[in-house]
Each structure stands twice: as structure tokens, then as C-alpha cells.
């Protein structure tokens, strides 16, 4: 793969700050447009069932106003499927979700949930929405994505980001091997969760990766440096890794 590695900027936590006071600012849609101007190839937004950050209105406005593709992250529920079919984003990434979690804790069990996921994947594809499965870098989950006919997988990098030393190196190898297996089977490979300036380069260097989705760190850094500069810096780090 190599070539241009796309950056999807996740704007969830602009909405976290907005929702802290129930104001209309900071506006996630404004952040999305600024990130796109600064070099983001796409915008990711996670409409959680508890609407803790991104709201239904945010999705409606993003779908209407974005100048780059929208990647809607969604749980595998009838409610979210209906919302995806209504707004028809460029892409939908099916992620695991628990109300009790502070953030996504791992990948979707595509292998164990095949029968539940198969009709949802088919219906999203039928609506010309590019389906992605957010999964662990695990051969069994890659095989499940192949069986489900998912055109894209997004590999969970959270464990890699939490580990250090040899354990991190081993997890990086696991991600690289999973990316190679998926790409060999015609699946487009993305990665994301927990990526920062300090840990992104080894992930970005994996040649089979087509896209990285990065949010929480960028929004945090934007408080100090501004959104455009941090998007540009992440873009530069990813480009330099190729
Ligand atoms: C799936 C993933 O890792 C993120 O894209 C997800 O959005 C994390 O959830 P929060 O944004 O609610 O932390
Ligand atoms: N799918 C990963 C994503 O969109 C952003 O995750 P994070 O950078 O907010 O951890």
C-alpha cells in the first residue's frame, strides 16, 4: 500500500467540552471544517447511544456541511443503523460500546457476532456506505471480517499505546501482521485509538495502512497549540513515516 496515509480527525471531544455546559460552543462542526482546511482527509464522529458527546444534530450538520468524507462510528444497533441509513455518511465504522466505559476498551467481536452483524453490514453496503469494523489485530477477527464481506477494518491501537518496551514492540508486530493479512485478502486497513505525536510514527510506517483515525490527543493538544497546527503536525509526522 504505502502512498498517502489518510488522516481522519475524530471530533468527539470537542463535543465533550461543549456538553460540559450545554452551550453551543465549541462547535464540533466548526472544528471539523477547520481540521479539513488544515489537512484532515476525513472526519470521524462517534454517535454513542448515551450521546455523551456527539449528538444527533451534530451528525445531521456534519452530513450536510462537511467538505471531506464523514466516518460515522456506531454501535451495532437498530437505532444506529437507522440513523446511518438516514444520513448516508461516506463511511460507517461499527464499534463495540458499553455505557459504563470511559472510552472504547477493545475491538468488536466480529467472529462471535457474525450472525448479528451480517445483515447490518449488508444493509449499509447496499446503501453505498463504506463499512468498517473496529477490531483487534487478531487473525480470527480478520477472517471474520472477510466472511462478513467488510471492505474495511480499523485495527485497535489502544493496547499498543498503553504498552511499553518489548511488550509494545510485540503489539506493533501483531498490528503489522494483521494489516498484512487483511490487505492480502483485499480489505482496506485503517488503525486508531490512543495515537499521539509520540507513538504514531511506527504505526504510520506500516505500509498496508490506508488511514489513521485520531481524536482525543489532537483535541487536547489543540487547547495549547490550536487545532490547525496540531493537525498539520500529525499530518507531517504521518507523511514522514512513509
Ligand atoms: C473506536 C475508538 O477508538 C474511538 O473512535 C471512539 O470514538 C472512542 O470513544 P470516545 O470518543 O467516546 O472516547
Ligand atoms: N477510531 C479511533 C478514533 O476515531 C480516535 O480515537 P482517539 O484518538 O480519540 O483515541
Amino acid at each position: 500500500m504505502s502512498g498517502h496515509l489518510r488522516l481522519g480527525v475524530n471530533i468527539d471531544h470537542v463535543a465533550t467540552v461543549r456538553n460540559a455546559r450545554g452551550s453551543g460552543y465549541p462547535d464540533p462542526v466548526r472544528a471539523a471544517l477547520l481540521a479539513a482546511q488544515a489537512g484532515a482527509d476525513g472526519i470521524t464522529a462517534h454517535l454513542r447511544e448515551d450521546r455523551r458527546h456527539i449528538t444527533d444534530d451534530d451528525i445531521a450538520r456534519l452530513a450536510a456541511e462537511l467538505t471531506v468524507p464523514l466516518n460515522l462510528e456506531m454501535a451495532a444497533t437498530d437505532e444506529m443503523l437507522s440513523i446511518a441509513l438516514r444520513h448516508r455518511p461516506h463511511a460507517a465504522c461499527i464499534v463495540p460500546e458499553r455505557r459504563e466505559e470511559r472510552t472504547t476498551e477493545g475491538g468488536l467481536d466480529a467472529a462471535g457476532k457474525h450472525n448479528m452483524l451480517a445483515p447490518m453490514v449488508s444493509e449499509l453496503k447496499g446503501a453505498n456506505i463504506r463499512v468498517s469494523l473496529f477490531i483487534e489485530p487478531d487473525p480470527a477477527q480478520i477472517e471474520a471480517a472477510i466472511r462478513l464481506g467488510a471492505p474495511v477494518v480499523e485495527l485497535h491501537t489502544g493496547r499498543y499505546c498503553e504498552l511499553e518496551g518489548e511488550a509494545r514492540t510485540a503489539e506493533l508486530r501483531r498490528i503489522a501482521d494483521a494489516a498484512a493479512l487483511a490487505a492480502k485478502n483485499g480489505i482496506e486497513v485503517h488503525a486508531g485509538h490512543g495515537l499521539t505525536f509520540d507513538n504514531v510514527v511506527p504505526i504510520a510506517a506500516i505500509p498496508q495502512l490506508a488511514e489513521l483515525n485520531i481524536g482525543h490527543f489532537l483535541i487536547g493538544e489543540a487547547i495549547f497549540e490550536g487545532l490547525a497546527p496540531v493537525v498539520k503536525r500529525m499530518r507531517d509526522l504521518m507523511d514522514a513515516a512513509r
Side-chain angles (χ1 to χ4, degrees):
M1 162 63 71
S2 289
H4 179 67
L5 177 58
R6 296 193 302 270
L7 170 59
V9 173
N10 184 312
I11 54 167
D12 292 350
H13 298 294
V14 177
T16 298
V17 174
R18 179 203 49 201
N19 294 4
R21 191 167 288 186
S23 59
Y25 61 86
D27 181 2
V29 176
R30 179 184 173 197
L33 295 171
L34 285 170
Q37 286 171 3
D41 298 285
I43 295 298
T44 291
H46 185 181
L47 182 66
R48 283 180 170 265
E49 61 83 23
D50 61 10
R51 277 57 171 191
R52 64 181 69 175
H53 39 56
I54 293 292
T55 66
D56 298 67
D57 180 60
D58 292 329
I59 296 300
R61 292 195 298 130
L62 287 165
E65 299 177 35
L66 268 190
T67 55
V68 293
L70 171 62
N71 174 36
L72 169 65
E73 286 187 337
M74 53 180 271
T77 63
D78 291 341
E79 179 195 25
M80 289 302 153
L81 176 60
S82 169
I83 290 169
L85 294 174
R86 184 181 324 135
H87 295 295
R88 296 192 181 232
H90 167 73
C93 181
I94 304 176
V95 302
E97 210 176 275
R98 280 186 323 112
R99 178 172 286 209
E100 305 74 29
E101 66 187 7
R102 175 176 288 183
T103 185
T104 300
E105 297 168 340
L108 183 74
D109 181 10
K113 298 180 185 299
H114 176 91
N115 292 343
M116 182 267 279
L117 290 169
M120 182 171 289
V121 170
S122 175
E123 195 156 359
L124 288 166
K125 288 172 72 174
N128 291 316
I129 298 170
R130 191 202 66 197
V131 183
S132 173
L133 302 179
F134 186 80
I135 59 172
E136 291 298 321
D138 175 342
Q141 297 300 337
I142 302 291
E143 297 296 340
I146 296 166
R147 283 195 302 276
L148 283 162
V152 181
V153 295
E154 180 168 333
L155 302 178
H156 177 224
T157 54
R159 189 169 292 103
Y160 158 80
C161 296
E162 290 164 359
L163 294 169
E164 295 181 354
E166 289 181 13
R168 171 179 279 197
T169 302
E171 183 66 10
L172 178 63
R173 178 78 268 145
R174 198 162 84 103
I175 294 167
D177 290 347
L181 175 63
K184 187 173 71 175
N185 285 278
I187 292 181
E188 182 174 298
V189 192
H190 303 176
H193 194 91
L195 295 174
T196 70
F197 290 156
D198 292 336
N199 64 29
V200 71
V201 169
I203 295 289
I206 297 172
Q208 292 86 1
L209 291 182
E211 181 173 303
L212 300 183
N213 285 294
I214 308 173
H216 185 256
F217 172 77
L218 290 176
I219 303 311
E221 279 299 293
I223 293 170
F224 307 103
E225 307 292 342
L227 184 58
V230 300
V231 169
K232 287 185 172 77
R233 182 169 174 207
M234 186 60 81
R235 178 72 279 158
D236 290 346
L237 286 168
M238 290 165 59
D239 292 345
R242 286 289 169 101

